[in-house]
Structure formats: structure tokens, C-alpha cells
Amino acid sequence: MNYIDFTIPQTLTEARDALKALGPEGMPVAGSTLHVFLRDEAPKVAVDLRQLGLNRIDAEADGFVVGATATVTDMDEYAAPGWVLDRVACEFVTQPIRNMATIGGSIVRVFPWSDWPVPLLALDAQLVITGDDERTMGSSEFFAVQPFHHLHPGDLLTAVQVPALRTGEGFGYFKERRTSTDFSRCTVAVWLQLAQHKIAAVRVAIGAATPMPRRMPAIESALTGARPGPDAFTQAVQAGLDEARWKGLHGISDDYARHLASVRIVDALTAAWTEAKGNTE
Amino acid sequence: MKEITFTLNGEVRTFRIEPDETLIDLLRRNQLTGTKRGCDTGMCGSCAVIMDGRAVNACILYAFQVEGRTIETIEGVGDFDRPHPLQTALADAGAVQCGFCTPGMVMTAKALLDQQPNATETEIKKHLDGNLCRCTGYVKILDAVIQCAAPGTEEEAS
Amino acid sequence: MSKRKFSVVNQPLRKIDAMSLALGKPSYVGDLKPADALVIKMLGSPHAHARITSIDVSAAEAMPGVKAVLHHGNVPRIVHTTAGQGYPEPSPYDTFMFDNKVRFVGDRVAAVAAESEKIAKAALKAIRVEYEVLEPVFRIQDAMKDGAPVIHDEPEAKAVIPVPYDKDRNMAAKVDMEIGDFERGMAEADETIDYPFYNHYAQHCPIEPHVSMAWLDREDRIIITTSTQVPFHCRRIVAQTLGIPVQRIRVIKPRIGGGFGAKQEIILEDVVAMMALRTRRPVYWEYTREEEFVAARTRHPMLMRLRMGAKRDGTITAVGLDATSNTGWNGSQGLTVVCNSGSKMLPLYKCDHIHFLGMAVYTNLPAGGAYRGYGATQSAFAYESAMDEMAEKIGMDPLEFRSRNHIRSGDTSPVFRALGEGREGVDQAITSCELARCIKAGAKAIGWRKRKPHTEKTGRYRRGIGMACLMQGSAIPEIDMGAATLKMNEDGSFNLLMGATDLGTGSDTVLAQIAAEQLGTRLDKIIVYSSDTDMTPFDVGAYASSTTYLSGQAVLDVARKVRKQILQVGADMLDCSVRELTIADGVVMRKDGSEQVTFSEIALHSMYSANQFQIGDISSKIVHHSPPPFAAHFADVEVDTMTGQVRVIKYVAAADCGTPIHPRLAEGQVEGAVMNGICYALTEEYLFNPQGRMTNGNFGDYKLYTTSDLPEMETILVPSYEKTGPYGAKSIAEIGINGPLPAIANAIYNACGVRLRSGPFTAEKIWRSLQAGGEIPFEEGH
């Protein structure tokens, strides 16, 4: 990045004021791990967000509030009943990058291969944006466009609210890659709720094999109310695949991206179902 | 040019920096050349240093981002007369071939063992996954780090 | 194996530079950069094939902080090769410091030296270049077609040794050899096979990219400090390229951050030298990782055709190997790499009728160079895959088929004489071969006995076991020369000065062990200095698996001479004959134990007391043999038949390197090479866009394994005693990289019936092959 100056605000208000004053010249910075992907050479002023105390993870009544500058390692090391994001965190790039990258930075600008939007979509996370007032946005809306477009000058993504996994619920996550530290070719996350041996609710999200991370509503509706099982999963997935556009990344074909998704969505459904079955009172 | 102040290898230091200067550039132009540049994209770990107890890649971290923080580099870890047990173990295990990745390995492994002196093999493998080595195939590096993590051997090694 | 007891050799001592490197002491070129050095940046060609019709550097030159701009219009135009090989080089002369033609995306257009990297980069943007874009050619088959674009149409390009070279047809090298009557051998076979194979692009990925710096000393000599495997070739080639005497150049090699062959090439040194002359300032040039991928050197991709005939009893009646390499934009190492594809694999199995055709073809892609394995990696894939396929055809266990046919101690092969490096080879009989024991030990470690055919496997995840046998060489016989100087100091320590180039392998340690063993002293008494063209004697450098075997002989010889001198001085001091004396642990003593003098006393005596002289000497060695190390590799893999993803669960490498001078470092050579081979087999590849630009030249996209990906690795050193080598040693550095491609391919076949003939073995390729019932046709990469 072509930084011509930097500022390290100590409070959220200072940070917002700085960004508001700088307008398009201001660039919020936290982990700085994605800068190598930004080719923008326009001069910017860096506004470091890491002194604002936004790095906490707190358990609340029905879930967790993850501060925007919590690092992936923070999420990896965090443990509490119903917390599942450690499963995503531990498969994220490499240890030094996990130590540096923040949840906010990982989702405010989405790349096709971004890991984090996928589980957040499946868990129906809520994104907290602090502007002149604080607003909360659902993950489907948040990821429907490049998320930074939601942010007006002076707005900051300050937290992610993630529901806890409760009794009768399961979470499945697969990141398909060549090596442990590779970019994803296909990321799948499934949240599934069982009631009376049927699927009461399910959310299926996918990324990397599609141009942007997304939910798979046709698969979800086909499975809602159904009895879970390998055949049901396979049928629903096969029938629902066409609703997405498939795009192979890093040298794989679009066909294969689609095929990988079909396999891994079933795998993630199976994993979520297995967990939900075991996740009893 | 602006000034930043941080703790570097136990000493509070103030440096004048460029806003777009990375930490590795700051360190290397101040003769701390043990921190190596291998890829400049944060993917090889040769430039790993410890910031506030965790390993980070100095090639993608901007110098201004260490304001007020604590940084440890390989130069602060050991010397001929008092090598860190990891350095002794790596040297003795045959884990140092070309040695270019070694300082980064030491820093990443140290960050882990400082926090978890008895880290398991699985934890060690996971924590070193950001440090590329093209010479050793990692086998002897892991031997050395695992040996340092084995319960009870820390005192003997030092 | 000799029963001889060693005290320094064959001991797991600490590598002599291990601690300083682990401490992060300034060791590498980049650590030694003067604070006032100018930074060099290179403008790379945006086109794969174009003529520069005009270049305007005036704006760049006028920028504050810019000290010089070099381009084809203002430097000497002297044709040369970038290959760091002996003189005259077997590689064609087809390269200029700068040319008015660009031949790949990233080719040199103009270089800037400036006060900072930022200024240099800005200056590159200010250079105005107009190109006449020419039709590029990327594939081997296309480059060989009639009417294909001619990549080297300059009149100067030529071969400098008597070998076929036809630049008008993009042919950089050709070699054709037949032993016996190949067609007759095929006719005598019960079963024959005829299969194509393709080896893909890959890069060495030394963690330290290429880096060089230069300055003028007070006598106006050019001092080049560079990360090179070949300091002496570097000096010669830079002198040639600049048109200045060798005398005016000194090349210093500090520690190297990995080479693997990439640094057997003169890639940065001509420009840093030229810039030092132009600017009269220290200059520094370091490749970015992306430049390392594109503009350094690569493994030569090769198209192969492997034909084999065998009888049902397991006799191999004929082997035919056609290997055509894509040597890229220049012909560096093109001839010798393809020669080695034949010479390093074809002697492995006994066969009376052998045909080999090797060619190297120019294209507008990155240039191949020396890369660990050096052609044998490529042919091992074809040959060892074919061995499994033939074994299946004749209904024999692939291990038994190999065991019946492989070369043994006392055997020779006509291939040794027929095929050398760019010329005829040298006849040799195998004097040490423990391949049979390697096979046995490896088979046991992998559990070969429980191996079942793929037809008996079911389920989504399927395990498979595969193997490969390998050989390489130890130095280039009758060509390579190494020399060493040894002198004694007054405290009984020694300076060992060598042109041999430790590129991170630990050869400084290994050679010091050989010296210490022969001298009768401890390893820590040897002060090693390598390499510096002003200070150390000549050595060809670190390549062709030569250092332990070749430079080791020079060190052993000089240590013998110095030992004699020590004994003579000792005899003078003790007033007895040399025959009455023995040496142990730095002390010369009478065999009856009655009297002794220490090395230190001897050195002081020879320096100050009587008949003063410097105890010391120099030795040079060439070798007359190139004894092959042997290895048997085994892979145990699991294939997810739903996704095609393959995972290596366990890898066993059993290797015979003669006496391992330093067992731990020898194991390290195997482990590092195997890991590199596994990544080459499974993940490493170059992706190019249709214009010939590499699109994945970074470690995010081009994947090397990390600790998290590591399979269980078992290395078994099976010692033999190579009587021509120092203390029974032969080479170990390269052979290990050749195994994973065929062993894993064979394991994948054994798991799920998919036969892969081109790497890398990606999940998609395996999945598509499964869909197609076992095999899909492959495309030549690009």
C-alpha cells in the first residue's frame, strides 16, 4: 500500500473522526495481511484500529460477540460451549497469519476464496456497524455485495454476533485445498437443527467454488422438514446445485468446482447432522 | 518521517520511520539482519518475529503497527555464549541446512513454547505451518522442537 | 561395508555453521549489503515474444536518485550462456546481457540503479518502450513445427561444442543413442508397452531468492558477493559477458539460502558488475519471489515416450526413451539435462537393446536450468511408471520385476560409455550397490506384503502402495575438477580453503570431517573457508552431486600430504623415523607411547624453530568414475475417490550413498529431496495465461508443503563402501527427489486404478480419470 501517513487512534470516536475527515483517503488497518492483494496505489492514510479495544470475544445470553479486531488466533484459542468458529480458525492460512489477521479485515472486503463469510452465512451471524448510530445487519445482506460498500465514511464494522450452537444443532465445515495453508477451492459450511428426527432448519453456505460466497436456498428448502440421511442429502444437493454459478479458482475447472461442492456439501450436511444427533441435553 | 517507540529485544527504542515502511525493512536497515526476507507476501515465515508473545510476519506488518508493542527478533533470543535451547536443539538435530528459514523457525517455535512449554507434536506442526523450509523436509526441525517441548528436558537443554 | 572405525567421519557431529545460522548472524548476501548500496530493479517484458523497436530511458535517467539505466543500447553485446558449467560449455551461446528482442514475459528490458527501491521502481515506470510484438510459441510440439516462430534468429547464437544445434528449428540440443538393436529387442518381447509422459514446470524455491551485489575496490577491481553455487564459473562468465579480464573480478560466496541447482546459473551477476562499473558505487540486486519463479530457472518440462519390451519370465528385452525438453527462452543446461534423463536411469535395469533420443526445444516460456535430479527426475517418472505397467502386463509383482533386473555390484552398463554430459560418457563398473537391501528394507517399512491390487479395493477412501527404484551419479567423470588448500596454524588448527561451494547442504562440514579424519584431529580444529575466487583454489562448484565425492577426494588428498608433513616434523622433533610414529587426536606419538608432540608444538616448531616452512599443501582432483548412489522409494497413499484428493500417508526412502560421512546430514538430504519431490508430484505447477504470463508466482498460489502436510517419513541409510570415494562415500544430494513422482503415481494406481502420466497429480485430474475409467489423455502443460 502506498501509505503517506498513519494515525493510531485510541478510541472508537477518534478513529471514526479520523476516517470521516480523511474520506476516501483513509484506510482502516488492523492485521494488514490482505494488503498484498490490494493493488490500489492511490496514496492513503492508514488508520490503525488495533488500539480501540475491539478485540474481545464475549459470551452473551444466546451467543458470542466477537470484536472486529479479534484475531483468528483469538478465535482459535477461544473455547466455550456452543462456540464453533475455532474449527474455521484452525484451518485459516498459517500461524503467523492467524496471529495477525482479524475477523473484521477478513470479511469487510471479500475475495472469492475468503474463508470467513461462509461459516458466518451458515450461522446467520449478525454484523454490527458503528456509525453515527449503531446498526446490525444480517450476514445474507452483508455479503450480498462487497461489504465495504455498506460502510459510509466514518462507519466501522465493530463486531460480529455469532449464535451459539445449542441442543439439537450441528455445524459442519469443509475447506477443500491442496495443502493445509492453501487458498480454498471450495468452502462449505452447514448449520442444521434437528427436531423429532427431522431437519427443523438448515442453512447451507458455500464459497470459493462460486464467484462470491453465498447461501444455497434451494438445497435448504428441499431439506427443511425432511428426514436427514445420505440419500436425502445427495438428492437435495443434486437438485439444488444449478441455482449457483460455479467458478473454478486456481487452475481448476468450473465443472470440477461444481462437483467438489456437491461432494463437500453432502459431507458438511453429514457432519452437521452427526453432531446434531449427539448434541443432546 | 514520524517517530515510533516500541520495546525491541527488551529495550525501549525510538525510530524514525516512513509510513509505508514494513517492519522487516525497519529491522534490516538497523542491522538486525537475522530477520530474513523470503517472499514479501507473508507466506514463507522467514521474517517471523514475536509481537506481544505471538509470531507475526515482519514483511507484511507495517512499522507503524508496532508502536507501543513488544517485539522480539532472533538477535534477542540467544548468542554463542547463551544460545536458546531451541537453537541448540536445531543445530544438534541437523535441522539447519541452508539456515535461511532457521531464525523464523526459532521465533515461531519460541512463541509457542513460551506459551505452551509442553506443546504436543500436533500443536507444534500446526504452529510451524507458516514457516517454509525447502532443505530439510521439516523432519529434523520437528525432531528438534519436539525435543525442546518434551516435559522435563527444558532445564537439561539450557 | 568396511569394518573400519572412524572417529570424525560417519559421526553425527554438529554442522559447523549451524549455530551461527540459528543465531541469525549476518551470513547471507542480503545481510552484508552496504548501507550506501544502490538498489537495482529490472523492467521485465510484458510480451512473450517481441522486438524492441525503440526504448527511451531519458525520463528515468533524469529522475533524482537514479544513477544508471542499462539496456541493449548501452551495454556490450556479447553472446554467452547463463549456464554455470565447465568451459567450453555444453549449453549453447544464446543470451546477451540485454537484447533488442524479448523472448518471455519477464525478459530483461532495462535495469535501473537508484538510491532506493522506491525510486528504482518509479524509474522503471518512466521508461518508454515500443515493441513489435511477434507470434509466441509455448508448446514443444508447436515449437518443432515447420514454420514455427524462430526464437533465436540472431546470427550470434551457436553451440560451442560439436553437438547438433539448429536454432532455425528452435532445436537447442539433440542426442541420439542406440545400444544393441532396439527394434529387435521389441520384437523378441512377449509384451510391449508404448506410453507418453509429461513432466511439468516447477521451481527450486530456495527460500532465499537470487541475490547479488558488487562494488569496486580501491584497485578498481569488481568485487561480486553473490548467492551462487558456481563462483569460478561465475567469474569466468561475467568476465566474458562484460568483455573484461577474469583478473579484474573477484567472486565471493557467503552462506547461500538454498540453491538446488537454481544458483548454478549466472542470473544477476553480469548486471550488478556492469552497474558497479557504471555507477562506481556498491550496487545490490535481489529478486522478488515472483521474479524468482519467472526469470530465474526452472525444472525443464519434458515430453516423453517410453517403450519397453519384456518376456513373461521378467527379462527386459528392449527399452526406448524419447525425451524432449522445453528449455524455454534460452538453452541453459538443455543438452546435459536431457542427456542425464538417459544416462542416469537407463543403466538401472539390465537390457541389451536400448534406444535413447533426447532433444531440447526453445519456447517463449521461462528457461529450464539445473534442478536437483537434473533430468533423472523426469525420466524416473516415465521409466518407473512403465516398470509397474509392464509388471502388471507380464503378471509379476512390480517389486520382483525390479529385483530381477536391477544392476548390481560388479555389473556394468553400455549406457555409461554411450551417454555422457554432452559428449560420450565414461565406462565404469558398479563397485558398490546395495539396491537389493534398499528394496528389502523399504518394502518391510511400508508393509509391501499386505499390498493388494486395486481391483480388490472398495469404498470412498482407498489406500495404495507404490514404489520406485532410482540411481544418480557422483560428479561428472573426466570433466569436473575440485581443489583444496590446507594449512596448519600454530595452535594446531587448520585452514581448509576450498572452491567447493556449500549451498546449505553442509558440505563444508562434510569436507572438514574428511580432513579431520585424515589429519587425526577434531572437527572443530578445521576452519573452513569456501568460496572466494581470490582466496580459494578452483572447484567447478556445487552441482552434479559432486562435492562429497569429488571435492572430498581433493580434501582427502591434501590432508594426506599435510599429515605426512606433520609426521615428518614430528619425526625431526622426536629424532626418530616417521615409521615409528602415529597420530591420534591432534598428537603425534611414538607407537610405543614413550614420547609425543602435539600438533601445536609441531606447528610452532615448523614456523619458528628449525627448517622453517608452512605446513600446508594444495591438491586437485578429477574423478574417473561417477559411482551411482541407489535408492528404493515407497509411498503409501489414500485417495478420496469422490473428490480425487490424494494424501500421502507414509513415505519410505531407503538409500545407498556409500559411507554417509555425516549420517544426519545425509538423511537430511534425502528428507529434503523427498519432500520437494512430493510437492512436485502433488501440488507444484506453473499456471500461465494464454499470453505466456505466469499467474501463480507466489507462495500463496504455488504450494509447498508445510509441517501440517507432512506425511510420516522414514529414511533408511543402507551403507555400502565405495572404494573410489573418500572413506567409501558417494553422493546423496539429488537422488531423493526422483522418487516421489513415480512412487506416488504407482501408489495411486494401486489405490484406485488411475494411471497418471503427467504431474502434478491434482484432485481434479484423478477425479476425471476415475470418471473416465482409469486414464485421461494429458495436455502438454501451459
Side-chain angles (χ1 to χ4, degrees), chain C residues 95-134:
Chain C
T95 304
F96 305 88
M97 190 185 307
F98 289 89
D99 199 358
N100 58 5
K101 194 179 181 194
V102 288
R103 296 180 179 82
F104 71 105
V105 176
D107 202 354
R108 289 176 177 182
V109 175
V112 169
E115 296 289 354
S116 75
E117 182 177 339
K118 210 184 270 185
I119 296 170
K121 280 178 167 170
L124 293 185
K125 288 194 179 153
I127 296 171
R128 295 283 158 261
V129 191
E130 280 173 34
Y131 297 94
E132 177 200 348
V133 176
L134 306 171

Side-chain angles (χ1 to χ4, degrees), chain C residues 24 40 50 113 123 140 156 169 191 250 302 324 352 385 390 465 524 527 549 564 567 584 608 663 713:
Chain C
I40 296 176
I140 293 168
E156 297 96 330
R169 298 184 61 79
E191 297 285 353
R250 173 180 177 188
M302 279 193 204
T324 311
D352 293 334
S385 298
M390 181 55 89
I465 293 176
D524 63 5
I527 307 156
Y549 182 72
K564 267 189 197 158
L567 280 168
Y608 301 111
M713 304 255 283

Side-chain angles (χ1 to χ4, degrees), chain A residues 21 45 47 94 119 124 137 168 172 177 201 234 262:
Chain A
V45 175
V47 180
T94 66
D124 200 25
M137 189 180 280
R177 59 221 202 271
T234 305
S262 74

Side-chain angles (χ1 to χ4, degrees), chain A residues 21-45:
Chain A
L22 288 164
E25 206 180 54
M27 178 74 181
V29 181
S32 82
T33 55
L34 288 174
H35 287 194
V36 293
F37 302 106
L38 303 178
R39 301 277 180 195
D40 186 3
E41 292 189 10
K44 300 270 187 193
V45 175

Side-chain angles (χ1 to χ4, degrees), chain C residues 547-624:
Chain C
T547 306
T548 298
Y549 182 72
L550 164 69
S551 309
Q553 292 189 36
V555 169
L556 183 60
D557 193 65
V558 77
R560 267 192 201 121
K561 292 184 195 167
V562 170
R563 182 186 168 99
K564 267 189 197 158
Q565 294 174 15
I566 292 169
L567 280 168
Q568 189 54 58
V569 175
D572 292 349
M573 291 169 74
L574 295 174
D575 199 17
C576 64
S577 82
V578 166
R579 275 198 309 276
E580 293 170 71
L581 296 175
T582 179
I583 295 186
D585 201 19
V587 174
V588 175
M589 65 194 89
R590 278 178 179 273
K591 284 176 183 163
D592 62 12
S594 60
E595 273 188 299
Q596 66 177 49
V597 282
T598 64
F599 274 19
S600 175
E601 289 162 344
I602 287 172
L604 283 164
H605 183 85
S606 75
M607 281 177 183
Y608 301 111
S609 298
N611 301 322
Q612 286 94 325
F613 77 109
Q614 167 70 60
I615 295 180
D617 219 320
I618 181 168
S619 286
S620 307
K621 279 285 173 185
I622 61 164
V623 295
H624 309 292

Side-chain angles (χ1 to χ4, degrees), chain A residues 178 180 253 256 259 267, chain C residues 460 642-643 701 709 764 767:
Chain A
R178 292 169 298 178
S180 65
S253 70
Y256 180 66
H259 168 74
D267 288 345
Chain C
R460 173 171 171 179
M642 297 281 282
T643 63
D701 293 304
D709 305 301
E764 178 166 5
W767 174 68

Side-chain angles (χ1 to χ4, degrees), chain B residues 28 31-36 46 73-80 87 96 99-104 106-107, chain C residues 17-28 31:
Chain B
R28 290 187 65 89
Q31 287 75 52
L32 297 176
T33 54
T35 302
K36 308 298 182 198
S46 310
T73 70
I74 190 72
E75 288 84 357
V77 171
D79 212 328
F80 285 112
Q87 292 168 320
V96 182
F100 200 78
C101 73
T102 312
V106 170
M107 298 317 287
Chain C
D17 54 355
M19 185 53 84
S20 65
L21 297 175
L23 293 169
K25 297 293 176 191
S27 308
Y28 308 90
D31 304 346

Side-chain angles (χ1 to χ4, degrees), chain C residues 647-688:
Chain C
R647 191 163 66 93
V648 179
I649 291 172
K650 181 171 181 176
Y651 198 95
V652 177
D656 158 18
C657 63
T659 302
I661 301 290
H662 191 300
R664 232 173 247 160
L665 289 175
E667 284 169 14
Q669 285 300 305
V670 174
E671 288 154 2
V674 163
M675 177 50 54
N676 188 333
I678 292 174
C679 299
Y680 181 50
L682 294 179
T683 65
E684 292 180 41
E685 64 180 326
Y686 274 43
L687 301 176
F688 295 102

